[in-house]
Amino acid sequence: MKVGFVAIVGRPNVGKSTLVNALLKFKLAAVSPKPQTSRFKIIGIITDEDAQIVLVDTPGILQKSKYTLHDYMLKEAKTAMAEADVVLLVVEPKPPGDIEEAILEEFRRSKEKRPVILVINKIDTVHKNALLPIMQTYSEMYDFAEIVPVSALKGDGLDILLDVIKKHLPEGTPFYPGDEITDKPLRFIIAEIIRERIFVHYREEIPYSTAVKVEEFRESDDPNKPVYIRATIYVERPSQKAIIIGRRGRAIKRVGIEARKQIEAILGRKVYLDLWVKVKKKWRENLRFIRELELGL
Ligand SMILES: Nc1nc2c(ncn2[C@@H]2O[C@H](COP(=O)(O)OP(=O)(O)O)[C@@H](O)[C@H]2O)c(=O)[nH]1
Ligand SMILES: [Mg+2]
């Protein structure tokens, strides 16, 4: 069997999380038009007859981080080369920018070479003729194992990409049971769904000041009864709480309805989603709390 870790790198917003979800055929990672939606490293596991592919999605850099985007990307590129079996560099269908150049420079400098597959995503946004010169430019910059144009959003090129990944993975025995799709607990995935809705519906610092925790998950023995899920949206200040709730609770109601529908689709069961908003001052500096979020505790 072909088995291994596939690190996905690339600047924010190129569609890394969308690609992971599309390859998994499961909504695992939070996706939004705002940069830095992903907060933690997420792995997605694809197992079929002849391979187990473990996708590692790089989170975006956190605001207020000590790193600049540039430094952060270089660090990620270095880690990917050191820890993964195959690296996917995801880019948009346009000429390389300074971040792409810096990542490739890091790859060139690296002593341990892994196959790097260049994934040109969002090809649904450009004319076919525009792709060739971009592929040409990239291929002159680095010795890529392969270059694969895809649209993660439309699902184009994904089967080819999976075959190409398999081709470059080493032989081995699976790390995870065949039916596992992630190392994260269900509570974490549910919290991410709610958090993604917040990224979609609120502006400025609100999404970045928000954390979501699933506090209770109760299934009834009667499959016709809804699953009870109590989740808390944590914010840093009372003013943010008021914004999250919105006038007459309209804003939070919309988040709740949309998240509930997605959770019902995943569980295949009716869900009663009980959403609360609480102020937790300076939670972003509380490492224990952040660790709990990451583990879905
Ligand atoms: N048109 C188009 N948009 C895409 C595609 N893949 C991702 N996007 C959009 O790009 C934005 C950022 O995607 P996301 O997966 O969060 O990027 P990440 O920051 O690299 O993880 C979202 O609005 C996605 O819907 C694609 O193939 N085509
Ligand atoms: Mg992401």
Side-chain angles (χ1 to χ4, degrees), residues 104-160:
L104 292 176
E105 178 57 32
E106 189 63 52
F107 287 165
R108 275 186 229 106
R109 257 206 307 254
S110 164
K111 280 191 210 79
E112 273 176 291
K113 297 278 190 245
R114 312 288 182 194
V116 179
I117 299 168
L118 181 72
V119 179
I120 305 181
N121 188 29
K122 307 197 185 183
I123 56 166
D124 56 292
T125 62
V126 291
H127 195 270
K128 272 201 203 82
N129 296 343
L131 271 179
L132 214 57
I134 295 165
M135 292 168 80
Q136 184 69 34
T137 309
Y138 268 110
S139 64
E140 283 163 11
M141 288 174 72
Y142 191 80
D143 188 16
F144 291 104
E146 320 252 357
I147 298 182
V148 187
V150 304
S151 167
L153 200 64
K154 309 269 182 213
D156 293 331
L158 299 182
D159 289 340
I160 298 171

Side-chain angles (χ1 to χ4, degrees), residues 46-148:
I46 302 170
T47 309
D48 60 19
E49 313 82 53
D50 53 358
Q52 181 167 78
I53 302 171
V54 185
L55 302 165
V56 185
D57 185 10
T58 341
I61 178 174
L62 281 173
Q63 280 206 337
K64 289 187 179 169
S65 153
K66 61 183 169 156
Y67 300 108
T68 64
L69 179 59
H70 198 270
D71 292 345
Y72 177 79
M73 292 309 314
L74 291 189
K75 189 176 93 40
E76 282 302 325
K78 208 182 237 166
T79 315
M81 272 293 191
E83 293 177 359
D85 299 295
V86 171
V87 178
L88 299 192
L89 172 60
V90 184
V91 299
E92 292 194 351
K94 48 186 164 196
D98 50 354
I99 289 185
E100 284 76 18
E101 292 199 14
I103 292 174
L104 292 176
E105 178 57 32
E106 189 63 52
F107 287 165
R108 275 186 229 106
R109 257 206 307 254
S110 164
K111 280 191 210 79
E112 273 176 291
K113 297 278 190 245
R114 312 288 182 194
V116 179
I117 299 168
L118 181 72
V119 179
I120 305 181
N121 188 29
K122 307 197 185 183
I123 56 166
D124 56 292
T125 62
V126 291
H127 195 270
K128 272 201 203 82
N129 296 343
L131 271 179
L132 214 57
I134 295 165
M135 292 168 80
Q136 184 69 34
T137 309
Y138 268 110
S139 64
E140 283 163 11
M141 288 174 72
Y142 191 80
D143 188 16
F144 291 104
E146 320 252 357
I147 298 182
V148 187

Side-chain angles (χ1 to χ4, degrees), residues 3-293:
V3 173
F5 284 82
V6 179
I8 305 180
V9 297
R11 67 167 74 215
N13 249 24
V14 292
K16 297 180 297 297
S17 298
T18 309
L19 182 66
V20 169
N21 292 339
L23 290 172
L24 276 180
K25 304 188 182 78
F26 184 87
K27 177 75 163 294
L28 180 65
V31 171
S32 95
K34 298 189 181 68
Q36 309 161 16
T37 308
S38 319
R39 192 166 281 159
F40 303 111
K41 259 200 175 87
I42 292 187
I43 73 164
I45 307 160
I46 302 170
T47 309
D48 60 19
E49 313 82 53
D50 53 358
Q52 181 167 78
I53 302 171
V54 185
L55 302 165
V56 185
D57 185 10
T58 341
I61 178 174
L62 281 173
Q63 280 206 337
K64 289 187 179 169
S65 153
K66 61 183 169 156
Y67 300 108
T68 64
L69 179 59
H70 198 270
D71 292 345
Y72 177 79
M73 292 309 314
L74 291 189
K75 189 176 93 40
E76 282 302 325
K78 208 182 237 166
T79 315
M81 272 293 191
E83 293 177 359
D85 299 295
V86 171
V87 178
L88 299 192
L89 172 60
V90 184
V91 299
E92 292 194 351
K94 48 186 164 196
D98 50 354
I99 289 185
E100 284 76 18
E101 292 199 14
I103 292 174
L104 292 176
E105 178 57 32
E106 189 63 52
F107 287 165
R108 275 186 229 106
R109 257 206 307 254
S110 164
K111 280 191 210 79
E112 273 176 291
K113 297 278 190 245
R114 312 288 182 194
V116 179
I117 299 168
L118 181 72
V119 179
I120 305 181
N121 188 29
K122 307 197 185 183
I123 56 166
D124 56 292
T125 62
V126 291
H127 195 270
K128 272 201 203 82
N129 296 343
L131 271 179
L132 214 57
I134 295 165
M135 292 168 80
Q136 184 69 34
T137 309
Y138 268 110
S139 64
E140 283 163 11
M141 288 174 72
Y142 191 80
D143 188 16
F144 291 104
E146 320 252 357
I147 298 182
V148 187
V150 304
S151 167
L153 200 64
K154 309 269 182 213
D156 293 331
L158 299 182
D159 289 340
I160 298 171
L161 179 58
L162 280 178
D163 285 343
V164 166
I165 293 172
K166 282 182 198 173
K167 199 172 112 188
H168 293 280
L169 282 180
E171 298 277 341
T173 43
F175 298 109
Y176 300 95
D179 56 355
E180 240 167 63
I181 58 154
T182 184
D183 63 337
K184 297 282 186 204
L186 186 58
R187 283 173 181 236
F188 175 87
I189 297 169
I190 291 171
E192 283 289 286
I193 289 172
I194 299 166
R195 209 168 60 79
E196 180 195 74
R197 287 299 99 198
I198 293 166
F199 261 82
V200 168
H201 290 304
Y202 300 88
R203 280 173 302 170
E204 287 155 22
E205 96 289 0
I206 297 289
Y208 304 98
S209 312
T210 302
V212 180
K213 240 187 194 181
V214 172
E215 319 268 5
E216 196 176 339
F217 184 102
R218 213 170 49 221
E219 269 176 286
S220 156
D221 292 335
D222 179 355
N224 298 316
K225 287 229 176 87
V227 179
Y228 175 81
I229 299 171
R230 182 165 54 87
T232 306
I233 299 171
Y234 290 95
V235 289
E236 292 186 312
R237 291 194 300 275
S239 60
Q240 295 167 337
K241 177 173 171 173
I243 292 171
I244 290 279
I245 292 170
R247 274 186 66 182
R248 296 205 187 124
R250 274 206 206 109
I252 193 170
K253 194 165 174 198
R254 183 164 65 169
V255 165
I257 290 171
E258 291 179 6
R260 175 178 53 76
K261 284 183 183 154
Q262 286 194 33
I263 299 164
E264 285 178 339
I266 284 179
L267 298 180
R269 296 266 308 262
K270 284 272 170 222
V271 165
Y272 180 85
L273 181 59
D274 194 7
L275 270 186
W276 294 77
V277 188
K278 283 186 191 154
V279 177
K280 191 174 177 78
K281 286 198 181 94
K282 296 195 175 166
W283 69 260
R284 283 195 282 190
E285 290 159 34
N286 184 338
L287 284 180
R288 216 188 100 181
F289 182 71
I290 290 176
R291 189 78 189 126
E292 285 170 10
L293 293 174

